[in-house]
Amino acid sequence: MNILEKAKKYHSLEKEEIVALLKSSDKSLFIGADEVREKYKGNEVHLRGLIEFSNICKRTCKYCGLRGENLKLERYRLSCNEIVDFAKKGASYGYKTVVLQSGEDNHFSCDDICKIVREIKNLNIAVTLSLGEKTYEEYQAYKLAGADRYLLRIETTDENLYKELHPKMSLENRKQCLDNLKKIGYETGSGCLVGLPGQTIESLADDILYFKDKDFDMIGVGPFIPNPNTPLANYEGGDFWLAIRVMAIIRLLLPDINIPATTAMETLNPNGRIIALQSGANVVMPNITEGDYRRKYEIYPGKICVGDTPKHCRQCISSKILSIGRTISNSYGFRSD
Ligand code: SAM
Ligand code: SF4
Ligand code: FES
């Protein structure tokens, strides 16, 4: 049995087999991942409305435009009322989940976040948080306030690379945060960047095996896109097709999880999200932040939809999804739905 057939049947691979799939250019990987997606997740695509509520960050991840040391970025933070207001509008457009994402901005207290979560939960929609590394107690408080899911990418499981790219942070703590989130009972999402300077195919295979081992509920894969206002400005970015390969293998190994077609994929390829949806993905996270904030949440250059409105994006992505014979889900889209 070849590697792809084995992965489709048993959803388990050895590291060398993952490396071989990553190094190959055989397109049957994408077809295989698409078949597994259809079998386990059906044809529905879940839309999650993304609110980028603060671009202020105390961390200095070397690849990210929001890093605290980037003095060229115009900073903003929404008020608690504005965040809830954007969520209300998101719900009115039909979103069943809103994702609240930000830099690690200490301005918002634990109580602030809990209050925001409680108000949004009154709208009868699911809430995903993506606020970075917090204490066990904070994660627990958000959960008690009603938060359903949490996204925290591991970025890379390569110890040396992690250390090099994340000053004053540790891979150990990142892993601990993810373990805490799972223990508290969140639907937990992680993921990695593809094409980081010095990252090897073997280390990407390790990332995939880590996701499999932890059995995360969601995995987002993003190609690294160099930002001119960061220390990695002059490095080459990640390859779109390699990111799609990583994502497709994750679908084969974790057949029933939620996998987004990411914004970074579409930034590198104008048809990137549709290609991803046809290679294992079943989720899209359109931006529902309004006004000029979208442009200011500049993680990397060339980000899509910066000049568009939530209404336009909803229509745009919906028609693309329908054009490939898929449907828009009306459910909350939990892993077990
Ligand atoms: N601060 C939170 C965190 O780090 O988990 C959430 C916001 S952060 C901007 C969201 C994601 O952006 C990160 O997990 C990282 O993978 C991605 N990202 C940052 N810089 C990037 C870049 N240059 N290219 C592609 N993705 C990037
Ligand atoms: Fe801050 Fe997240 Fe960017 Fe790191 S990746 S600098 S934590 S916003
Ligand atoms: Fe924003 Fe297409 S999804 S313009």
Side-chain angles (χ1 to χ4, degrees):
M1 194 186 295
N2 74 20
I3 302 175
L4 180 59
E5 290 307 316
K6 179 182 166 190
K8 276 168 62 180
K9 192 161 179 200
Y10 299 110
H11 309 299
S12 170
L13 289 176
E14 301 298 323
K15 181 171 173 182
E16 310 80 69
E17 295 170 321
I18 297 175
V19 169
L21 284 183
L22 287 173
K23 286 186 174 166
S24 158
S25 54
D26 188 349
K27 292 235 162 48
S28 56
L29 169 62
F30 309 134
I31 298 165
D34 198 40
E35 285 168 8
V36 170
R37 183 272 310 154
E38 189 173 7
K39 183 171 166 198
Y40 284 83
K41 306 305 286 178
N43 273 329
E44 288 194 338
V45 174
H46 299 286
L47 297 182
R48 327 278 203 203
L50 176 67
I51 303 175
E52 300 163 330
F53 70 88
S54 166
N55 69 355
I56 296 172
C57 189
K58 65 178 183 192
R59 305 282 188 189
T60 56
C61 309
K62 288 192 184 165
Y63 43 79
C64 180
L66 308 193
R67 62 197 308 274
E69 287 174 7
N70 177 12
L71 303 180
K72 295 219 172 104
L73 186 68
E74 225 181 295
R75 304 283 171 169
Y76 73 89
R77 69 165 64 93
L78 269 55
S79 69
C80 298
N81 286 341
E82 274 177 308
I83 299 170
V84 175
D85 204 40
F86 284 178
K88 280 184 186 156
K89 288 187 187 159
S92 78
Y93 289 126
Y95 288 100
K96 295 282 174 197
T97 295
V98 292
V99 182
L100 305 184
Q101 195 184 74
S102 67
E104 288 199 26
D105 182 356
N106 282 345
H107 168 85
F108 293 94
S109 68
C110 186
D111 284 351
D112 289 337
I113 300 293
C114 290
K115 191 162 169 274
I116 293 166
V117 169
R118 274 194 297 270
E119 287 195 38
I120 298 179
K121 286 302 289 180
N122 283 336
L123 305 170
N124 281 325
I125 56 177
V127 173
T128 304
L129 298 177
S130 178
L131 321 176
E133 295 181 18
K134 303 282 174 184
T135 63
Y136 189 94
E137 290 71 29
E138 285 170 309
Y139 286 149
Q140 203 167 35
Y142 309 153
K143 185 81 183 65
L144 283 171
D148 302 279
R149 312 188 184 109
Y150 204 101
L151 300 177
L152 185 76
R153 287 185 181 171
I154 195 75
E155 316 294 1
T156 173
T157 57
D158 185 320
E159 189 93 48
N160 291 328
L161 190 56
Y162 192 94
K163 208 185 249 171
E164 169 58 32
L165 296 175
H166 304 94
K168 299 186 192 147
M169 294 172 79
S170 79
L171 182 59
E172 199 191 342
N173 194 55
R174 196 90 176 164
K175 285 185 173 171
Q176 185 64 60
C177 285
L178 283 160
D179 289 346
N180 290 347
L181 290 163
K182 280 188 65 146
K183 192 169 165 203
I184 291 166
Y186 282 96
E187 274 215 328
T188 305
S190 194
C192 61
L193 285 166
V194 173
L196 291 164
Q199 190 178 40
T200 61
I201 291 290
E202 285 71 20
S203 105
L204 285 170
D206 286 334
D207 295 350
I208 295 170
L209 286 170
Y210 169 70
F211 300 145
K212 170 78 179 164
D213 178 49
K214 293 291 175 183
D215 190 33
F216 290 118
D217 304 301
M218 307 165 281
I219 297 289
V221 175
F224 158 62
I225 303 173
N227 184 317
N229 299 319
T230 65
L232 303 188
N234 297 321
Y235 284 87
E236 215 180 297
D239 177 69
F240 170 78
W241 286 105
L242 182 58
I244 296 283
R245 293 191 87 75
V246 170
M247 187 201 73
I249 297 169
I250 293 169
R251 169 58 73 205
L252 294 174
L253 298 191
L254 290 153
D256 66 337
I257 68 167
N258 284 319
I259 299 183
T262 60
T263 306
M265 286 173 172
E266 185 105 345
T267 300
L268 289 190
N269 182 318
N271 203 27
R273 287 178 299 180
I274 290 301
I275 293 170
L277 285 172
Q278 294 179 315
S279 310
N282 70 321
V283 170
V284 180
M285 294 163 60
N287 202 326
I288 58 167
T289 322
E290 295 196 16
D292 207 27
Y293 300 127
R294 286 180 181 220
R295 183 185 58 77
K296 293 182 185 163
Y297 200 82
E298 194 180 15
I299 309 174
Y300 46 74
K303 211 177 105 191
I304 56 162
C305 306
V306 289
D308 297 303
T309 60
K311 190 170 175 205
H312 175 81
C313 287
R314 172 103 194 171
Q315 279 162 357
C316 164
I317 195 65
S318 299
S319 65
K320 285 186 187 185
I321 290 166
L322 297 176
S323 79
I324 56 165
R326 304 275 279 277
T327 56
I328 313 282
S329 171
N330 205 25
S331 77
Y332 292 115
F334 288 102
R335 181 180 185 177
S336 54
D337 278 0

